[in-house]
Amino acid sequence: MNTNIAALPRGHFDALRVRRIVERVFCGYTGALGVRLWDGHAILLGHDSPVATVVIHAATLLRALAWRPDVLRLAEAYFYEEIDVEGDLFALLKQKIHLQSVTMSMRDRLLLFSVAFFAGRDSARVKRENSSVRWSTPTLASTSRRHSKAHNREAIGFHYDASNDFYRLWLDEQMVYSCAYFNDPGDSLEQAQRNKLDHICRKLRLKTGERLLDIGCGWGALICWAAQQYGVRAHGITLSRQQYEYTQTKIRDLGLEQQVTVELRDYRDLTSDADFDKVSSIGMFEHVGLKNLPAYFRAVDRVLKPGGLFLNHGITDNETGRHNTVGTEFIHRYVFPDGELDSVSNVQREMERTGFEIADVEALRPHYALTLRHWVSRLEARQKEALGLVSEAKYRVWRLYMAGCAVQFENGAIGVYQILAAKRREGLVDLPLTRGDIYQ
């Protein structure tokens, strides 16, 4: 049956024209996605049942995207509730490979802009204007790659100092904010993070009385675990004031004042008179900056005894060197203002140039994908509590960020590795001939 467009209310007329434009633009789309417009019109893109539905609440978003197609503008539309997602967010994000083939002609852009231009007032704009969400400052975003001490402190504060209570909602009981270690896919997050802490201690072959330094100690999980379970004297450093204060309290509550210490310190300020048997760095070196990797590894070398072990755990990229993508711009603007990744081969090469002997390399990509899915699930389950601590926009940033990272790990776009190395000395390093002791 033909629709009499002239007889429809203006909103329906606009929606129908939008539908025709969108269907034409997506005519070669091979994915499966649903779109629902502000007046209830549904559009099915692809040929299968949609994996998720994008709900567009206002026509003016289309106007903005028609004028200047921008993935980050689309992300902000989600943050500010101009659009919503119904269904599987992870499956939606996996549609990226299909969406990359979609292009819009200038004619269609002009048509879409003209339709949206005459649409009604955008009610979502009020939420955007009144939102108190704090993005990365222009100064920090433009200069973070200098990785000065001042900018690193600001960047760490931007990411970590929002609220300990917010992180506590979706992290495990130990407050571990890095990739867990799943002995079985059915492990709980709590169990998997305990597995990870113990896995690190076993790899470092910690012994009673040894001195352990944890660079970027977070909320103190590893230094307290190593002291309690392995009898070491542990010291942690962090740039986050909230993490520092939390860890101090944790040390006192556990009665570990004689074994564990923590301080606010930049790794570049570690003094050469420090003398540690073992050094760990878990999920920290992503903040260092590519140009500072040599200085970072020299700092570790400076405080580690000859023959001492160093475990570096961090995210890597498949591409080498510095490069800009939509994903990196998203992270710099909304999540990690100073994050930079390199390939695992480049990281190992720089460690060897510094004088480290690589002893073991373990890939943990599937573990981080599982970890992030746990974090997203836990955040979603406690959404109401989260919104009592952060704005709706901030909640959506974290939900989208962590779900997107999970998909990146699952697709193999990024990786995460534990690299165990020893500070070179004459003769053999004091390590067992096999990995068997780690798994006993």
Side-chain angles (χ1 to χ4, degrees):
M1 182 177 69
N2 293 328
T3 303
N4 183 358
I5 293 179
L8 291 175
R10 180 54 185 262
H12 284 277
F13 174 67
D14 290 335
L16 283 173
R17 288 202 292 175
V18 168
R19 177 175 181 169
R20 290 171 182 170
I21 296 168
V22 171
E23 287 177 342
R24 183 167 62 249
V25 170
F26 281 81
C27 64
Y29 177 63
T30 57
L33 186 62
V35 176
R36 190 165 70 247
L37 302 179
W38 52 91
D39 69 342
H41 267 85
I43 305 172
L44 176 62
L45 305 177
H47 304 289
D48 296 323
S49 298
V51 297
T53 297
V54 177
V55 183
I56 301 175
H57 293 302
T60 48
L61 170 63
L62 296 182
R63 182 177 66 190
L65 293 174
W67 182 257
R68 184 186 176 191
D70 182 356
V71 174
L72 294 182
R73 173 65 179 85
L74 191 61
E76 286 196 0
Y78 171 72
F79 302 158
Y80 291 113
E81 302 175 73
E82 294 172 331
I83 62 173
D84 277 307
V85 176
E86 295 178 355
D88 190 336
L89 178 61
F90 295 95
L92 172 64
L93 294 172
K94 287 184 177 181
Q95 295 290 298
K96 176 183 175 183
I97 188 172
H98 301 287
L99 293 170
Q100 287 174 334
S101 62
V102 175
T103 59
M104 183 181 292
S105 68
M106 181 57 70
R107 174 177 176 272
D108 285 331
R109 287 174 58 187
L110 290 173
L111 282 172
L112 192 58
F113 181 85
S114 65
V115 172
F117 184 81
F118 293 105
R121 172 176 171 78
D122 183 358
S123 60
R125 186 185 303 164
V126 176
K127 294 183 179 181
R128 172 181 287 271
E129 291 171 349
N130 293 339
S131 174
S132 61
V133 68
R134 182 172 68 102
W135 303 141
S136 177
T137 64
T139 300
L140 179 58
S142 64
T143 60
S144 62
R145 290 191 175 182
R146 297 177 185 174
H147 290 277
S148 66
K149 294 178 184 179
H151 280 96
N152 281 165
R153 281 195 301 272
E154 185 180 353
I156 292 298
F158 175 84
H159 185 79
Y160 292 103
D161 287 349
S163 166
N164 286 339
D165 290 334
F166 173 67
Y167 286 97
R168 190 182 287 111
L169 290 178
W170 46 274
L171 292 179
D172 65 299
E173 60 192 1
Q174 303 280 343
M175 292 282 281
V176 181
Y177 185 39
S178 56
C179 171
Y181 195 81
F182 292 82
N183 291 329
D184 184 274
D187 284 347
S188 68
L189 181 65
E190 276 72 19
Q191 181 61 57
Q193 290 292 14
R194 290 193 293 269
N195 294 344
K196 192 269 292 292
L197 295 175
D198 215 49
H199 194 58
I200 291 169
C201 293
R202 287 172 175 269
K203 276 191 176 181
L204 286 168
R205 276 75 178 190
L206 294 182
K207 300 180 181 66
T208 300
E210 288 187 329
R211 295 190 68 209
L212 168 69
L213 169 67
D214 189 24
I215 301 175
C217 64
W219 287 278
L222 179 59
I223 54 177
C224 291
W225 181 274
Q228 287 181 307
Q229 304 298 325
Y230 290 84
V232 303
R233 291 174 293 147
H235 181 66
I237 63 172
T238 178
L239 292 179
S240 166
R241 169 66 65 176
Q242 292 220 22
Q243 288 183 337
Y244 165 72
E245 293 174 353
Y246 179 95
T247 303
Q248 279 192 315
T249 301
K250 180 173 183 174
I251 292 168
R252 288 196 299 269
D253 290 346
L254 294 175
L256 295 173
E257 296 97 324
Q258 302 305 311
Q259 282 181 267
V260 183
T261 53
V262 63
E263 64 177 331
L264 281 168
R265 182 182 289 268
D266 191 291
Y267 72 90
R268 286 163 287 200
D269 294 330
L270 290 168
T271 58
S272 56
D273 59 351
D275 194 21
F276 291 95
D277 300 284
K278 311 289 170 63
V279 175
S280 59
S281 177
I282 314 301
M284 174 272 174
F285 94 115
E286 299 93 334
H287 294 286
V288 167
L290 301 188
K291 72 173 185 179
N292 284 342
L293 282 181
Y296 166 68
F297 291 128
R298 286 197 300 270
V300 176
D301 180 75
R302 190 167 62 243
V303 300
L304 187 60
K305 293 179 179 178
L309 298 180
F310 168 42
L311 189 140
N312 191 76
H313 169 129
I315 301 171
T316 61
D317 202 328
N318 288 343
E319 297 185 42
T320 60
R322 179 181 298 168
H323 55 280
N324 289 323
T325 65
V326 171
T328 57
E329 180 61 28
F330 174 93
I331 291 173
H332 290 156
R333 185 182 301 184
Y334 307 117
V335 188
F336 282 113
D338 66 344
E340 288 185 307
L341 307 179
D342 207 344
S343 67
V344 64
S345 56
N346 276 358
V347 173
Q348 291 181 83
R349 186 178 300 111
E350 201 58 60
M351 293 176 76
E352 289 175 321
R353 286 173 177 167
T354 306
F356 288 103
E357 177 183 354
I358 306 297
D360 188 89
V361 180
E362 183 175 9
L364 301 177
R365 181 164 68 89
H367 295 270
Y368 220 155
L370 281 169
T371 303
L372 284 156
R373 282 184 174 266
H374 274 278
W375 287 345
V376 172
S377 177
R378 292 160 73 102
L379 177 62
E380 290 172 342
R382 305 187 72 175
Q383 178 181 3
K384 184 176 180 180
E385 294 167 84
L387 294 178
L389 298 168
V390 298
S391 67
E392 175 75 36
K394 198 73 170 179
Y395 166 83
R396 288 179 175 230
V397 166
W398 278 95
R399 182 174 182 244
L400 183 62
Y401 161 64
M402 292 194 292
C405 286
V407 170
Q408 290 285 84
F409 280 113
E410 289 167 357
N411 289 344
I414 52 178
V416 58
Y417 290 87
Q418 286 185 353
I419 304 174
L420 181 69
K423 182 173 179 175
R424 290 188 183 277
R425 68 177 185 188
E426 289 188 14
L428 296 174
V429 176
D430 185 19
L431 277 172
L433 291 175
T434 73
R435 297 177 177 175
D437 62 305
I438 298 176
Y439 301 104
Q440 289 176 357

